[in-house]
Amino acid sequence: MAPKSFSFPGIFPALLASSLALLLLPTPIIAVHDYHDALRKSILFFEGQRSGKLPPDQRVKWRRDSALRDGSTAGVDLTGGYYDAGDNVKFGFPMAFTTTLLAWSIIDFGRNMGPELKNAVKAVKWSTDYLLKATAKPGVVYVQVGDAYSDHSCWERPEDMDTLRTVYKIDNAHPGSDVAGETAAALAAASIVFRSRDPAYSRLLLNRAVRVFNFADKHRGAYSSSLHAAVCPFYCDVNGYQDELLWAAAWLHKASRKRAYREYIVKNEVVLRAGDTINEFGWDNKHAGINVLISKEVLMGRADYFESFKQNADGFICSILPGITHPQVQYSPGKNAYFHLPFVKHRISGEKGQK
């Protein structure tokens, strides 16, 4: 039996995005690596991770309804969303990041997804429907359902689980700018996905993203401090919450085109450490994504005042290009980058949460 913590949802949008990018490259490698199949399986993975009452068009037929009372102990409806890896816990932080990345993949590469586009859009909505429930109360974000310690002590099907479904939240007195910022980013990014597909739903997502971002920015702090016993060492925010605030502002700027978010980014560039560009991009560290996302404004000739972000993005891209000497970055035979970082090794060995 493989370790429960072998993989986690946040890696799949990155694989999906790289697969889509490689679909556009006219190289002989494409002939021997089936990225269309990789895309299909990456999106199908999400259906296997679904929690709650499953829809009639569920393709993973061996899954059944599960966790239908999530949130009841706190008097709220927190059914739905995604389980984390082989666990039955719903961790809001990596789930929101997964949603942001999947939405970004659709925004930039949707036209190349072919028949999988509709499944990718459904995967985003399955998550955003849950995130809307988790943020329904102003000044509160429900960030986790399930006790990780009791869950990890017994590996069982979600349909059969009898472990604790404890609900954890952040609020004004117990801040979590990291998870709230990422949730705002996910909602904002998803609002772009649904802008033409479902305008009313898109507006709901964007309005909620604004409210959650304001909460994250006003009550600053790391949820690893507020909820340390519940989220550490599983999804501790080792990198700090500053990057999530910038990340959320960047997505809100892209989704709303409002000057306030542009000014926020410029004003907080130094304070929130936008220049902390390293060769890592994942649920804990958003700096590379921030700089790449914002630099597109410069490349399109719309925002010269973001030039520093373009320079940061250039530095990040150069650090991971093939042929550049860097001990932490190697490429697979299919030309996908993978990183020899400590947390990856720990996750493969089953030592979840260590860095």
Side-chain angles (χ1 to χ4, degrees):
M1 185 177 291
K4 291 178 64 176
S5 55
F6 179 78
S7 61
F8 54 100
I11 67 173
F12 282 86
L15 292 175
L16 185 151
S18 62
S19 297
L20 287 168
L22 285 163
L23 283 172
L24 307 179
L25 300 177
T27 67
I29 293 171
I30 302 302
V32 294
H33 295 280
D34 190 344
Y35 289 102
H36 292 282
D37 188 53
L39 173 62
R40 182 184 68 82
K41 290 176 178 174
S42 293
I43 297 174
L44 186 64
F45 166 84
F46 290 103
E47 292 191 24
Q49 298 297 105
R50 282 174 172 172
S51 177
K53 186 169 182 58
L54 302 183
D57 61 353
Q58 170 81 11
R59 293 181 295 165
V60 182
K61 299 300 183 182
W62 46 265
R63 286 297 318 280
R64 294 291 183 269
D65 298 347
S66 60
L68 298 180
R69 291 182 52 79
D70 275 2
S72 61
T73 57
V76 293
D77 176 11
L78 294 176
T79 57
Y82 291 110
Y83 296 116
D84 184 78
D87 305 334
N88 295 330
V89 181
K90 294 192 294 198
F91 290 101
F93 199 11
M95 190 194 306
F97 174 71
T98 297
T99 307
T100 308
L101 265 288
L102 185 54
W104 196 0
S105 297
I106 294 170
I107 293 166
D108 281 5
F109 302 114
R111 66 177 64 89
N112 303 106
M113 287 185 174
E116 290 304 318
L117 176 59
K118 61 180 178 58
N119 293 320
V121 172
K122 289 179 181 178
V124 171
K125 191 172 188 298
W126 190 266
S127 184
T128 52
D129 283 349
Y130 173 80
L131 295 177
L132 287 171
K133 294 179 180 180
T135 58
K137 291 185 177 180
V140 174
V141 179
Y142 292 95
V143 299
Q144 183 174 320
V145 180
D147 179 84
Y149 289 98
S150 65
D151 179 85
H152 284 191
S153 68
C154 181
W155 194 6
E156 57 188 351
R157 300 190 324 149
E159 293 85 352
D160 303 327
M161 65 177 165
D162 53 5
T163 50
L164 297 172
R165 302 303 290 170
T166 311
V167 174
Y168 299 92
K169 67 179 180 179
I170 56 172
D171 54 28
N172 296 352
H174 306 88
S177 301
D178 33 27
V179 63
E182 185 59 65
T183 301
L187 293 168
S191 76
I192 301 174
V193 171
F194 290 100
R195 183 176 290 159
S196 59
R197 294 179 173 89
D198 188 340
Y201 189 66
S202 175
R203 289 192 296 272
L204 173 62
L205 293 173
L206 183 55
N207 289 338
R208 186 66 56 81
V210 171
R211 192 176 82 188
V212 175
F213 172 74
N214 289 338
F215 160 72
D217 190 42
K218 182 177 180 181
H219 303 281
R220 294 190 180 187
Y223 93 136
S224 299
S225 300
S226 300
L227 297 173
H228 187 274
V231 303
C232 297
F234 310 100
Y235 285 103
C236 282
D237 186 0
V238 177
N239 187 65
Y241 63 82
Q242 292 86 349
D243 53 332
E244 278 80 25
L245 289 177
L246 272 178
W247 178 238
W251 276 109
L252 280 164
H253 179 259
K254 185 175 180 66
S256 70
R257 308 309 303 175
K258 289 187 176 179
R259 175 186 292 182
Y261 297 110
R262 182 191 71 195
E263 294 176 347
Y264 180 93
I265 294 168
V266 173
K267 179 181 178 181
N268 289 279
E269 177 181 356
V270 176
V271 176
L272 299 181
R273 306 183 350 238
D276 286 7
T277 304
I278 60 175
N279 63 326
E280 176 187 351
F281 179 45
W283 62 266
D284 185 29
N285 190 319
K286 313 297 173 10
H287 287 294
I290 293 166
N291 287 305
V292 170
L293 179 64
I294 295 178
S295 68
K296 295 183 71 174
E297 298 286 313
V298 182
L299 294 174
M300 295 174 69
R302 294 199 302 227
D304 290 342
Y305 39 80
F306 285 151
E307 177 63 32
S308 60
F309 290 90
K310 176 181 176 298
Q311 293 173 4
N312 293 336
D314 287 343
F316 169 71
I317 296 300
C318 286
S319 74
I320 62 172
L321 284 175
I324 304 297
T325 302
H326 203 297
Q328 288 187 315
V329 181
Q330 295 185 21
Y331 279 76
S332 72
K335 302 305 180 185
N336 279 308
Y338 61 93
F339 304 94
H340 287 295
L341 294 172
F343 79 90
V344 173
K345 293 179 181 177
H346 284 305
R347 290 192 180 278
I348 291 175
S349 68
E351 299 169 14
K352 187 169 184 177
Q354 297 185 37
K355 284 202 172 187

